[in-house]
Every structure is written in C-alpha cells, then in structure tokens.
Amino acid sequence: QVQLVESGGGLVQAGGSLRLSCAASGRTFSDYNMGWFRQAPGLEREFVAGISALGGNTFYADSVKGRFTISRDNAKNTVLLQMNSLKPEDAAVYYCAADRSVLGSRTPKSYDYWGQGTQVTVSS
C-alpha cells in the first residue's frame, strides 16, 4: 500500500502561481512512477503531468506544457507540481497518483494509488 496526501491548493488570481505537494508513505516511494491528474466539475479526470520513478523522465499534457513543472524528492518521499501562469481553466481538484508498472501513462486506471485531492481555484 502507498498512502498519498496532497496539499498546497487554494485560491489564486489568473496569472499567479501555486505549488502542490504530495507526500507519500508506505512502500518504497522510488519504486513508483508518479502522476498528477485533475478533475473539474462535470468533466473526466485528466492527466496533467508525470514523472518516472527516479525522476529522469517527465511528461506533460499539452495544455500545461511550459507552465507547470513536476519534480520529486525521493529522499523526502514527495512529488511537487509547480504551477505558473495559472488560467481559469486550470481550476479543478488535483490528485497525485502512483503507478508501479507503467511509465508515462496518461490513463487514470493505470495508476494503483491515489490521494484525496486538493482544490485549485483560479479567479479571472
């Protein structure tokens, strides 16, 4: 089992920045590829960014490329999502997820463990 807890969400004006954090506990964190997803009301959960188990590879949705940065610190069992130049359409509940077997998956069902989510609201 891997337990994931997100934090760092909140209300920000368009153009602003937020940094989301996901703290992991349980099994060996460095065994897992990690992803960030988001879900807005009435919409399906969508991939935002992913990072390989040792941090050497990162993946982004086209909608956030150049604005968001995913990183991880395996010594601290933490994965971060730095979000810059936020837009109203970035507003959603953001989830981190862990996937032991598939690198770079953009499909939610590939991921084995999920956090409870953190709300990001962007005012225009």
Side-chain angles (χ1 to χ4, degrees):
Q1 283 278 13
V2 174
Q3 293 79 42
L4 302 171
V5 179
E6 302 95 336
S7 60
L11 172 64
V12 64
Q13 286 189 330
S17 299
L18 281 176
R19 188 176 76 165
L20 305 184
S21 180
C22 175
S25 61
R27 293 184 177 245
T28 305
F29 180 64
S30 58
D31 284 347
Y32 290 84
N33 305 305
M34 299 297 296
W36 283 97
F37 287 76
R38 66 187 181 189
Q39 188 166 19
L43 299 179
E44 293 187 351
R45 193 167 296 191
E46 65 171 354
F47 172 81
V48 175
I51 189 167
S52 58
L54 299 181
N57 293 285
T58 56
F59 312 87
Y60 297 94
D62 288 344
S63 59
V64 307
K65 203 171 292 184
R67 299 187 298 122
F68 290 12
T69 303
I70 188 171
S71 62
R72 68 189 294 162
D73 184 339
N74 285 349
K76 296 182 179 178
N77 288 359
T78 301
V79 60
L80 302 175
L81 185 68
Q82 178 67 43
M83 306 188 295
N84 298 329
S85 302
L86 281 160
K87 305 175 182 180
E89 53 263 41
D90 293 318
V93 177
Y94 281 71
Y95 300 89
C96 71
D99 181 348
R100 181 154 190 175
S101 58
V102 181
L103 174 62
S105 174
R106 299 167 185 253
T107 305
K109 62 183 177 182
S110 294
Y111 288 77
D112 305 304
Y113 301 103
W114 292 84
Q116 83 291 345
T118 186
Q119 178 73 51
V120 170
T121 304
V122 184
S123 63
S124 55

